[in-house]
Amino acid sequence: MARIVVVGAGVGGLATAARLAATGHEVTVFERADTVGGKLGRHVHDTPAGPFHFDTGPSLLTLPEVFADLFEATGAKLDEYLDLVSLDPVVRHVFPDGSTLDSCADPTEFAARIGAAFGDRAAADWQRLWRRAARVWAASSRDVLRRPIDSPRDLAALAWRLGDLAAIAPGRTLRGLGRRHLTDRRLRMLLDRYATYTGADPRRAPAALVAVPYAELTYGGWYLRGGLGTLADALLSRCLDLGVVVQTGTTVTRIDAAGGRVHGVRLEAVAAPVPADVVVANCDALTLYRDLLPSPRRLAGLTDRSLAGFVLLLGVTGSSGLAHHNVFFPGDHDAEFDAVFGDPGRGVRARPAPDPTVFVTVADDPLVRPDGHEAWFVLVNATRQGTSTGAVDWRRPGLAEAYADRILEVLAARGVDVRDRLLFREIRTPADLDASTGAPGGAIYGTAGGLLRPANRGPVHGLWLVGGSSHPGGGLPMVTLSAQIVAADIGAAA
């Protein structure tokens, strides 16, 4: 039995803690915030009409079997803790010409919907792309997502089949893949959006990210009744039942790693170190290597940060008729990417996109809003917080309020004007995410998307990384698979 300290009580940290405790280890979790969940955040806004409950992080659960495996591995059943609701549509897409397309988890039905909306050729194009996506998903799921990848050499050494390599198309971008397979501009826009799932620019993101829509639209999109934050509650409950000690409001300031191995951690305002045989860092990899190790190391590649998000939390009276998830596309997708990513190499500053893609979540769940009202989560792609060429200083006086006004104007122009039905609005900028979760710059996924993330095994003996900024990447199922990889690796090393 090892003494294990987990730094951070996000989904990755809690899932790792539960798996390790279930196999007999002594596990303590330290979380700097007062609540668990990390980026799986929640917020309650009280009004005379009643409370509004918001998920301020993920709003969609995919690959539910990953979570079922986690609960079974820790001696429980998923449905004992969570109430999963299948979504159809998974997402409603609204395009600049006013056309709409509802995605669903039945590939045949989705192709039929594409045909009805955009014509038979568009449907045939999508089915051809889908066959390729299936090969990419099979190869990724088998060889990448469930095993440690510590270096480019590990990735290259995998027993790739020639057909897998042809489908994955190393060197090709997701944008290039869309142009090769899809003649309808609207379907290309839909495909591009999945690059932003990993915080990346579709014009530079690898074509292998076609596996992301495949997973979502094959295995389904799910909502958790009461909000996605109930997943954090369920993981905390499992941890406590298994004897894990979870201390919130406790900041780890350093990992002791003299002599090439970990010895424990240092806590803010506590003189004595906390001894540990193993430390699992559920924080951004940049934070780990820059701030928590005795000397900064391995920073190369970690400064290419992912997208952040600008968020509005809206209390709306009446009914909008929207789907659970809605995406409103702009007229010029590339202008949006030019704005939020900028071009530091040419000295072109990033800036808030004046006409962005707008993502709106409206849960039809009486547990999260008063009768006769809706709780809206509105998200747009945004540049991270900072003062460099590739960032935006979201703390600049007046900027956040002005941009919130602009987002509501954009929604109104696209046929969804709620400005006269607002009970309240709250704003969350990348600077707020940085402050609340410790994500540098408010970057949602750590480094920009790709097949190779920071390794789960740290540079000193007894140190592991888990979470969205490390392998296999961001998103709730990937973070949970990260925990599975780390727990198995620790078990094998014990």
Side-chain angles (χ1 to χ4, degrees), residues 56-416:
T56 60
S59 63
L60 181 69
L61 187 139
T62 57
L63 299 177
E65 68 274 12
V66 170
F67 303 93
D69 288 346
L70 167 63
F71 279 83
E72 289 177 8
T74 63
K77 296 292 184 182
L78 181 66
D79 59 10
E80 295 172 352
Y81 289 84
L82 298 169
D83 186 2
L84 275 70
V85 180
S86 179
L87 297 177
D88 184 6
V90 177
V91 178
R92 174 164 295 159
H93 305 86
V94 182
F95 296 95
D97 63 359
S99 60
T100 63
L101 179 63
D102 286 353
S103 63
C104 63
D106 181 335
T108 301
E109 170 61 20
F110 187 41
R113 293 181 185 183
I114 292 173
F118 305 150
D120 292 342
R121 181 178 179 182
D125 286 349
W126 185 263
Q127 288 174 312
R128 185 168 58 252
L129 176 69
W130 208 242
R131 289 191 290 271
R132 181 171 189 152
R135 298 199 302 273
V136 176
W137 171 256
S140 301
S141 180
R142 182 186 67 241
D143 294 328
V144 178
L145 301 182
R146 297 177 183 270
R147 67 169 69 188
I149 302 291
D150 293 332
S151 70
R153 186 182 301 112
D154 290 344
L155 197 62
L158 294 174
W160 298 106
R161 302 184 180 105
L162 291 178
D164 296 339
L165 284 173
I168 290 170
R172 180 170 292 163
T173 65
L174 190 66
R175 168 65 65 82
L177 187 69
R179 287 184 171 177
R180 180 182 179 89
H181 285 274
L182 304 173
T183 54
D184 192 288
R185 177 174 176 265
R186 293 163 294 189
L187 289 181
R188 291 179 181 178
M189 295 178 78
L190 186 154
L191 182 64
D192 274 356
R193 186 178 71 85
Y194 286 93
T196 64
Y197 268 37
T198 64
D201 184 337
R203 300 169 298 186
R204 299 178 180 86
L209 291 182
V210 73
V212 178
Y214 184 85
E216 177 182 299
L217 301 180
T218 298
Y219 300 100
W222 305 79
Y223 171 69
L224 302 180
R225 203 176 305 277
L228 271 287
T230 58
L231 176 60
D233 295 335
L235 291 175
L236 176 61
S237 180
R238 287 305 304 139
C239 283
L240 296 179
D241 288 346
L242 291 162
V244 176
V245 176
V246 180
Q247 295 188 23
T248 57
T250 306
T251 300
V252 173
T253 58
R254 196 177 81 178
I255 296 171
D256 287 335
R261 67 160 297 115
V262 300
H263 303 284
V265 300
R266 302 275 179 163
L267 305 180
E268 187 175 71
V270 177
V274 178
D277 306 305
V278 170
V279 173
V280 178
N282 179 213
C283 57
D284 194 287
L286 177 60
T287 298
L288 170 68
Y289 289 122
R290 184 187 63 192
D291 302 333
L292 296 184
L293 290 175
S295 59
R297 60 181 78 192
R298 295 198 177 190
L299 295 182
L302 296 180
T303 54
D304 182 16
R305 308 304 290 166
S306 80
L307 277 173
F310 184 92
V311 170
L312 299 180
L313 307 178
L314 306 179
V316 178
T317 60
S319 176
S320 64
L322 295 180
H324 188 103
H325 294 113
N326 310 267
V327 173
F328 297 88
F329 287 107
D332 188 343
H333 220 188
D334 282 347
E336 175 188 11
F337 296 132
D338 288 342
V340 298
F341 288 102
D343 191 342
R346 294 191 295 122
V348 178
R349 292 196 66 91
R351 63 193 188 282
D355 188 29
T357 302
V358 183
F359 179 79
V360 180
T361 298
V362 185
D364 184 15
D365 181 355
L367 296 177
V368 303
R369 43 78 177 162
D371 288 342
H373 299 79
E374 294 177 331
W376 283 34
F377 172 86
V378 180
L379 170 70
V380 301
N381 299 322
T383 304
R384 68 186 185 278
Q385 163 65 28
T387 56
S388 66
T389 301
V392 168
D393 185 4
W394 291 101
R395 298 189 178 98
R396 194 168 75 234
L399 175 59
E401 290 290 343
Y403 198 50
D405 291 340
R406 176 58 189 159
I407 300 307
L408 293 176
E409 290 173 0
V410 168
L411 279 173
R414 297 180 193 170
V416 186

